């Protein structure tokens, strides 16, 4: 099992639709979770942190499910500008107790007019 | 303006030459990172530094070297020992090792 796993997509979604991505992680002790957005040939940019109680920022909602070890990102009323690759990031703890943020390979989203 | 800068944006080198990529941040962050991204692939960690004068190997450190002599700077040298150096290189920094990372604009290295 990969440490951080995402469905690579692509997800092709009509404008205005709601789309959701999941990301599973392997280490139950993980404490920090983030979603990043990366546009083509650009650097990743922080979209939102994911808190235990879930959090919302405009059209974006992030949820954490510790029991099943996944985080989710929901985008409502999708816009053309939402087309990007969405990266899931989790802090993973090695057998030696070292922590590091680990990036998933990303889910590619294309919003269709 | 606070942020992370990387230079140059595009870099071309001949096979067998060492090349150094620049990364500077004025965010007063302790931790800095170097990643490599290949087309259609995720980010792979090359080296990271949690504090000045200290750095650790990431998942793919072979053929790379770094230094952290100043808090603001974390240059990456791609040596001739790196077998497939053509890639998009991203530098990032964070307040500490557990917080969100902020990325520079990246350097696209092409080895001819």
């Amino acid at each position: 099992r990969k440490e951080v796993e995402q469905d690579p997509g692509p997800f092709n979604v009509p404008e205005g639709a709601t789309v959701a991505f999941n990301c599973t992680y392997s280490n139950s002790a993980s404490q920090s979770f983030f979603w990043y957005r990366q546009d083509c040939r650009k650097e990743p940019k922080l979209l939102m942190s994911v808190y235990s109680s879930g959090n919302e920022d405009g059209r974006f909602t992030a949820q954490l499910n510790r029991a099943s070890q996944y985080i989710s990102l929901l985008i409502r009323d999708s816009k053309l500008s939402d087309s990007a690759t969405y990266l899931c990031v989790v802090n993973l703890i090695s057998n030696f107790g070292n922590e590091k943020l680990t990036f998933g390979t990303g889910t590619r989203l294309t919003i269709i007019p | 303006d606070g942020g992370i800068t990387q230079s140059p944006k595009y870099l071309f080198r001949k096979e067998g030459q060492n090349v150094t990529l620049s990364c500077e941040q004025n965010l007063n962050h302790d931790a800095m990172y170097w990643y490599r991204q290949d087309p259609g692939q995720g980010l792979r960690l090359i080296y990271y530094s949690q504090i000045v004068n200290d750095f650790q190997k990431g998942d793919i450190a072979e053929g790379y070297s770094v230094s952290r002599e100043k808090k603001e700077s974390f240059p990456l040298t791609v040596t001739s020992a790196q077998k497939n150096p053509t890639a998009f290189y991203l530098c990032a920094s964070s307040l500490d090792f557990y917080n969100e990372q902020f990325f520079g604009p990246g350097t696209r290295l092409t080895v001819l």
Side-chain angles (χ1 to χ4, degrees), chain A residues 32 36 38 41 43 99 103, chain B residues 37 97-98 101 104 108:
Chain A
S32 301
Y36 279 71
Q38 186 174 24
R41 299 178 70 82
E43 74 274 23
E99 283 188 64
F103 286 74
Chain B
Q37 188 174 40
F97 203 54
Y98 312 106
Q101 297 177 14
R108 292 197 178 274

Side-chain angles (χ1 to χ4, degrees), chain B residues 18-87:
Chain B
N18 291 355
V19 60
T20 297
L21 310 184
S22 166
C23 178
E24 303 279 332
Q25 55 98 1
N26 61 4
L27 299 168
N28 200 33
H29 285 170
D30 281 322
M32 296 187 75
Y33 315 81
W34 274 105
Y35 293 91
R36 168 184 174 138
Q37 188 174 40
D38 294 283
Q41 303 295 315
L43 300 176
R44 291 187 289 169
L45 183 63
I46 304 172
Y47 268 98
Y48 62 96
S49 168
Q50 297 186 63
I51 200 166
V52 176
N53 292 322
D54 183 63
F55 51 82
Q56 305 294 330
K57 292 182 179 180
D59 300 318
I60 55 164
E62 186 175 350
Y64 300 97
S65 65
V66 293
S67 63
R68 186 87 188 275
E69 297 176 1
K70 298 187 299 182
K71 188 175 185 177
E72 302 81 16
S73 179
F74 191 41
L76 173 75
T77 297
V78 184
T79 75
S80 56
Q82 169 49 234
K83 295 178 181 177
N84 187 19
T86 295

Side-chain angles (χ1 to χ4, degrees), chain A residues 18-96:
Chain A
T18 295
V19 60
F21 312 130
N22 281 344
C23 167
T24 59
Y25 60 94
S26 60
N27 193 315
S28 61
S30 297
Q31 295 294 329
S32 301
F33 309 90
F34 308 95
W35 282 104
Y36 279 71
R37 169 195 171 125
Q38 186 174 24
D39 292 295
C40 188
R41 299 178 70 82
K42 298 285 189 180
E43 74 274 23
K45 293 187 178 178
L46 180 67
L47 181 64
M48 56 198 306
S49 302
V50 185
Y51 303 121
S52 296
S53 56
N55 47 305
E56 186 174 311
D57 183 3
R59 297 182 293 109
F60 298 83
T61 300
Q63 297 278 355
L64 167 63
N65 185 318
R66 286 195 183 275
S68 300
Q69 293 180 210
Y70 73 86
I71 64 172
S72 64
L73 177 67
L74 180 78
I75 306 174
R76 290 182 299 278
D77 188 24
S78 54
K79 312 291 185 190
L80 295 176
S81 58
D82 294 333
S83 297
T85 297
Y86 291 84
L87 306 174
C88 163
V89 184
V90 178
N91 80 315
L92 294 178
I93 302 169
S94 73
N95 292 334
F96 303 101

